[in-house]
Amino acid sequence: MEYAQLTPGRRFAPLHSLLYYSQRLVTRPALRRLVVRTLTGALRLRHGSGRELHAASAVEAAALANLSQSGYAPLGNLLSSVQCDAIRTYLQDKMLTDRDRERALFALAQAPQGVRVADYHLSDVIACPHILALANSAPLLGLAARYMRCKPTISALGLRWSFPVAGDASDLQAFHRDSEDWRYVKVLVYLTDVDHDAGPHVYLHGSHLTQAPVRLRFYSDDEISANYGAEQLLTATGTRGFCFAVDTAGIHKGTAPHRVPRLMLQIQYSLLPSYAYQYAPEPYDGPLLLDPYVNRLIVRPLR
C-alpha cells in the first residue's frame, strides 16, 4: 500500500496530513478515550454496531480480555498447513518490493543480497487464496468489532517477507509504537514456522494503555529492559498458521530473523481509514460475499 505525502512536497495531501496528525497530537489516554467514544457512537449510528459479525464464543471473549488488558492476544492456528502451502505456492512467482528501495522488484527465488524486508503488491494479496476469507472470518471480524465497539474497517492488508541479514536491523525491527488511527488492532499471521531465531514479534505487556510521545521514536532493547523489565516482554512464537492480535499503539517490534526468512500476513482493523495511506482499492470478482463497508478501502467489487 502506498503512503500518503503528509509533509509539503510535490504530492502533498493536506487533508490526509490534517486528519493523521490530529490524532497523533492527542496523547493523553483519557482524552483519546473520550474521542474514541464519540467516534464509535457516531459510527454505530451510521453503520451499526457490527454485532452481526461477532462469533460470540468463549474463545473470542478470552481474546478480547487479553487484548484489552495486555495489548496482545494469541488466537491459535487459524490457517492449516495445507492452506499455508497453498498461499506459498501462489506467491512463488509474484514480485516483491524491497521496503528500503521501493523501485526494486524481484521474485522470491531471485531475492538480492542485503534485502531485509519486502512486500507483495496488494493486488496479489487480494488474489492469494485464503487471505480475504481469513480477514473477513467471524473470529477476526467479531474480535475487531468488539474491540472497536462498532463495525470495523479493514484499513491495511499486507504480506511481507523478512530476511536474515548481517548488520544493523531495519527500523521495523526495533521497538517502536504505531499511530494508525484513534483506535485499531492488527492481526498478524505467521506463514512460516517462527521460533526465537526466526524473527518473532515481541510486545511490551500493557503498553497500549500508556501515554505515547507526540514525536514517535525507536527504543533500544536495553532501554526497554531497564525501564520495564524483560519479564514484561511477550514473544509470539508458533508454527505456520499461528495468528495473534496486537494493539500496536503499544511498544513492539518484529525481531530480525537470524536463520531463515519469515513470511507474515498483516490485517489491520480500525475505526477510520489510516490517513498515512493513499488508498486504491483493487477490483474483486471472487466468490466471497464481502461486507462492502468493512472492505471498502481494500477491494472494489465488480458486481
Side-chain angles (χ1 to χ4, degrees), residues 77-256:
N77 286 54
L78 298 185
L79 290 177
S80 68
S81 294
V82 172
Q83 290 172 317
C84 291
D85 285 343
I87 292 170
R88 292 285 302 274
T89 298
Y90 173 83
L91 294 173
Q92 279 181 344
D93 61 347
K94 302 302 183 288
M95 302 303 287
L96 285 154
T97 302
D98 184 342
R99 182 87 178 189
D100 294 326
R101 296 179 291 277
E102 293 186 2
R103 295 186 181 181
L105 299 176
F106 56 90
L108 180 62
Q110 288 79 44
Q113 290 289 329
V115 174
R116 294 185 181 278
V117 180
D119 300 286
Y120 289 102
H121 192 273
L122 180 60
S123 59
D124 291 323
V125 178
I126 296 299
C128 188
H130 309 302
I131 300 299
L132 268 184
L134 179 62
N136 285 274
S137 65
L140 298 191
L141 282 184
L143 176 62
R146 293 178 73 178
Y147 193 64
M148 235 57 72
R149 298 177 184 169
C150 65
K151 183 177 279 193
T153 288
I154 299 177
S155 54
L157 187 66
L159 281 165
R160 172 176 297 161
W161 278 103
S162 297
F163 300 97
V165 176
D168 294 335
S170 160
D171 286 346
L172 292 171
Q173 297 163 337
F175 280 111
H176 63 283
R177 295 178 187 262
D178 294 342
S179 185
E180 302 285 353
D181 187 26
W182 290 98
R183 190 169 176 85
Y184 57 97
V185 62
K186 294 183 181 181
V187 172
L188 305 180
V189 186
Y190 292 151
L191 298 172
T192 51
D193 294 340
V194 175
D195 59 16
H196 287 272
D197 291 325
H201 187 92
V202 182
Y203 191 86
L204 180 61
H205 170 81
S207 56
H208 66 307
L209 302 175
T210 61
Q211 183 167 341
V214 172
R215 185 182 292 276
L216 297 180
R217 66 184 187 90
F218 298 104
Y219 305 85
S220 70
D221 291 6
D222 290 342
E223 182 180 2
I224 295 299
S225 294
N227 290 335
Y228 302 99
E231 68 278 3
Q232 294 298 308
L233 295 176
L234 306 171
T235 301
T237 59
T239 57
R240 55 186 179 155
F242 176 67
C243 305
F244 55 98
V246 285
D247 185 333
T248 58
I251 296 172
H252 65 283
K253 70 172 180 176
T255 314

